[in-house]
Amino acid sequence: MEPTNKKGVQGAATRAVLVGRARRLFALGFGKVSTPAIAAAANVTRGALYHHFADKRALFSAVVAEVAAEIAEFIDAAALPYADDPIEAVVVGSRAFVTACDDPETRQIFLLDAPAVLGWNAWRAIDAVHGLGSLKGGLDACARAGRLAEDDIDGVAHLVSGALNEAVFVLASEPRNELLRARLDTQIERLVRGVFIDEK
């Protein structure tokens, strides 16, 4: 529910500023950032920071969720022009996920620090809300087009998501390896296209 009073609006604005300023700092690495530095960057007191977030980890979790939401938006925007071809939309969206994760800020926050700081279960929960949800939407469109059994959507989503996640984690360890990226792009396309039922 949107805040309706002035105090609520101000609180939401302060929270947004904290997340935005913290995100820039966390791009340098979670361990390199202190709460005093975040408070100073947001021009608020440490008390104000702790009013909105229990600790640095809680603030980082909010930043990770924001990054994950933006990745999903990037995927959906890339796939949108292929709305009439749901399989191509899923293929393009899969490539877009890899591209989004190749951004240095996204790589540091979402791939390098988030699993270590938040734990795999928390990271997977955030990814499930955004990335996995976007993928399931694309697969649902493929099912409606008769190219995937409805009963297979969840299983295929986890299979493809797992492969994509592994691909971006591999690339995160070698971010400037263009040959590796090209090879993974090819294999991702083969894998994604391979899960669909052939047209009769």
Side-chain angles (χ1 to χ4, degrees), residues 26-39:
F26 284 138
L28 304 174
F30 180 84
K32 297 179 180 179
V33 182
S34 67
T35 51
I38 296 170

Side-chain angles (χ1 to χ4, degrees), residues 6-169:
K6 184 176 180 180
K7 188 174 180 180
V9 170
Q10 290 173 340
T14 299
R15 190 181 191 281
V17 169
L18 280 165
V19 171
R21 297 295 188 274
R23 178 172 175 171
R24 294 179 188 175
L25 294 174
F26 284 138
L28 304 174
F30 180 84
K32 297 179 180 179
V33 182
S34 67
T35 51
I38 296 170
N43 198 30
V44 301
T45 65
R46 288 182 70 189
L49 187 156
Y50 288 121
H51 173 74
H52 291 280
F53 299 98
D55 52 24
K56 187 173 79 164
R57 184 178 179 278
L59 175 53
F60 181 67
S61 180
V63 169
V64 173
E66 180 178 89
V67 171
E70 289 179 7
I71 292 172
E73 290 170 4
F74 183 79
I75 293 169
D76 291 344
L80 184 61
Y82 302 91
D84 293 335
D85 186 347
I87 290 180
E88 196 64 29
V90 173
V91 171
V92 170
S94 298
R95 286 199 196 119
F97 173 70
V98 177
T99 297
C101 290
D102 201 32
D103 171 74
E105 179 181 278
T106 301
R107 184 188 311 124
Q108 183 66 49
I109 293 172
F110 190 65
L111 300 179
L112 299 180
D113 285 339
V117 173
L118 303 179
W120 279 108
N121 287 340
W123 185 89
R124 284 171 60 83
I126 292 171
D127 181 57
V129 170
H130 302 287
L132 188 62
S134 178
L135 178 57
K136 284 183 178 181
L139 293 174
D140 182 65
C142 293
R144 291 197 304 272
R147 302 297 300 279
L148 184 70
E150 288 188 13
D151 290 348
D152 289 340
I153 291 174
D154 281 348
V156 170
H158 285 287
L159 173 69
V160 173
S161 177
L164 292 175
N165 287 340
E166 183 62 20
V168 296
F169 279 116

